Amino acid sequence: MRQSQLFTRTRREAPSDETAKNAQLLIRAGFVHKEMAGVYSYLPLGFRTLQNIVQIIREEMNAVGAQEMVMTALQDKELWSRTDRWDDAKVDNWFKTEFKSGGETGLAITHEEPLTRIMSEHISSYRDLPRYAYQFQNKFRNELRAKSGVMRGKEFLMKDMYSFSKNDEEHAAFYAQAREAYLKVFARLGLGDRTYVTFASGGIFSPFSEEFQTLTEAGEDVIYVHEGKKLAVNKEVYTDEALATLGLSKEELVEKKAVEVGNIFNLGTRFSEPLNLSYTDETGTKKPVVMGSYGIGPTRLLGTIVEVLSDEKGMVWPEAVAPFRFHILNLLPNDAASVAFADALYAELGSDAALYDDRDARAGEKFADSDLIGIPWRINVGKETAVSGMVELVNRATGEMKKVTRDEVLAL
Ligand code: ATP
Ligand code: MG
């Protein structure tokens, strides 16, 4: 993409009310626009980055046999009343509104209820199980805290997957597969080293649910990490009793701040019973379906990557999620030979792989913008290029610079 055509511009300052580093950098680089506290639009560079995160998650969910779909944002009050999750006294973060024709609706906080009802029309026999479905869909939550930028939105993207199994054993097998798939996702996103399976509250059969917590000072959670076992315990369940159950002792655990980037839950029959999702087994007996839910926050992950990988000059995207792999800077935009060289290189790399700074701007400005945007490989086309055919190739993460030929760039 030609930077001269990109409608977003970088800016020196973020809005003064934005305190989170992730949002400050994303706004300054033109990746997101802040509509209101906790509400962000994704502009072309931010959208491309988010889509890369989404695609990695999609591949890993497909690999465990889940089917992608998308459900509605508007929710049916009557359905949620049946599971006792409509009342504001029970769930305190709904955005609710009224239909002109009468009656209330709410914006989806999660999707167990609607998917359970959908499945009740498609599952009736043991032959219909197990089934796994997921979606990428905006959730709406009237969150009180809004100090974490895109890491805690009032409107945010969630990948939510749900499993439907015949019994606890079948459920447990998929749950274990989902845990592995999640670890693959975080590794591919460059967060594997600092993301810990973390025991937390909310378990139904086992006393715990499992969260995936990424270490960062910007996180709102406190966890106790066991480095050797690569697992952690959330502060909310950090009791002598819980530690004994897990076979851990306080001396081996280190307190850290972290953000929950995903979680996996055993739901048992919490939703299938009130919503009548059942099946007939091999002997003709009617049984409730055993469910699980598995969430990941792609927009929270985007913010987390900025928090943990940025430096004083700007963002540093891993190749797997960067909006582009290459950032071509033509440092002599008024020199015909330079323009010809840079144009040709851009044509060969392609508009999907390269952002091409073809603007009529000073080199210093181009360098500062490039550092801020954080694309992995920068290619400087300068004075020497027309003479020797060599460009400077700069690695954003390490700062390492090499003089290379065009062919060496193309071979990267
Ligand atoms: P938290 O405790 O941080 O509020 P949660 O327990 O409410 O999270 P879930 O309801 O299980 O989270 O949502 C699944 C995933 O969605 C979370 O693991 C997180 O990655 C993401 N998520 C949850 N709330 C938000 C939010 N307000 N903004 C962005 N992402 C979110
Ligand atoms: Mg929450």
Side-chain angles (χ1 to χ4, degrees), residues 351-370:
S351 58
D352 205 41
L355 179 64
Y356 173 21
D357 194 346
D358 59 338
R359 298 172 303 168
D360 185 6
R362 286 180 304 108
E365 189 179 334
K366 293 192 177 188
F367 290 144
D369 280 354
S370 181

Side-chain angles (χ1 to χ4, degrees), residues 7 30 64 103 147 220 260 266 329 339 352 382 410:
F7 76 75
V64 293
K147 287 206 169 70
E220 292 176 3
E260 180 201 311
N266 178 352
L329 309 193
V339 171
D352 205 41
L410 295 176

Side-chain angles (χ1 to χ4, degrees), residues 93 109-110 139 141 143 145 149-159 211-212 220-221 259-263 265 293-301:
N93 56 6
I109 50 171
T110 176
K139 302 290 187 264
R141 292 182 183 180
E143 303 267 11
R145 290 174 291 179
V150 304
M151 290 162 71
R152 183 173 295 284
K154 295 190 177 94
E155 174 176 353
F156 61 94
L157 188 61
M158 192 194 287
K159 184 286 301 178
E211 296 176 339
F212 296 80
E220 292 176 3
D221 291 1
V259 59
E260 180 201 311
V261 289
N263 61 29
F265 274 100
S293 76
Y294 314 81
I296 293 188
T299 44
R300 179 174 285 184
L301 277 165

Side-chain angles (χ1 to χ4, degrees), residues 277-291:
L277 173 60
S278 57
Y279 72 99
T280 314
D281 74 7
E282 291 85 337
T283 67
T285 313
K286 202 171 150 184
K287 291 185 170 157
V289 171
V290 175
M291 290 173 53

Side-chain angles (χ1 to χ4, degrees), residues 1 3 324-330 349 353-359 366-367 369-381 392-394:
M1 175 172 220
Q3 217 166 325
F324 296 92
R325 264 189 96 204
F326 300 101
H327 198 177
I328 306 170
L329 309 193
N330 181 5
L349 290 173
L355 179 64
Y356 173 21
D357 194 346
D358 59 338
R359 298 172 303 168
K366 293 192 177 188
F367 290 144
D369 280 354
S370 181
D371 282 336
L372 177 62
I373 292 170
I375 290 170
W377 298 104
R378 182 194 299 171
I379 302 162
N380 296 327
V381 177
E392 285 175 0
L393 178 70
V394 186

Side-chain angles (χ1 to χ4, degrees), residues 139-178:
K139 302 290 187 264
F140 300 85
R141 292 182 183 180
N142 206 340
E143 303 267 11
L144 258 183
R145 290 174 291 179
K147 287 206 169 70
S148 296
V150 304
M151 290 162 71
R152 183 173 295 284
K154 295 190 177 94
E155 174 176 353
F156 61 94
L157 188 61
M158 192 194 287
K159 184 286 301 178
D160 39 332
M161 175 165 72
Y162 304 90
S163 66
F164 301 85
S165 305
K166 289 191 275 292
N167 49 45
D168 292 344
E169 196 182 16
E170 191 173 83
H171 166 79
F174 183 74
Y175 183 92
Q177 265 189 293

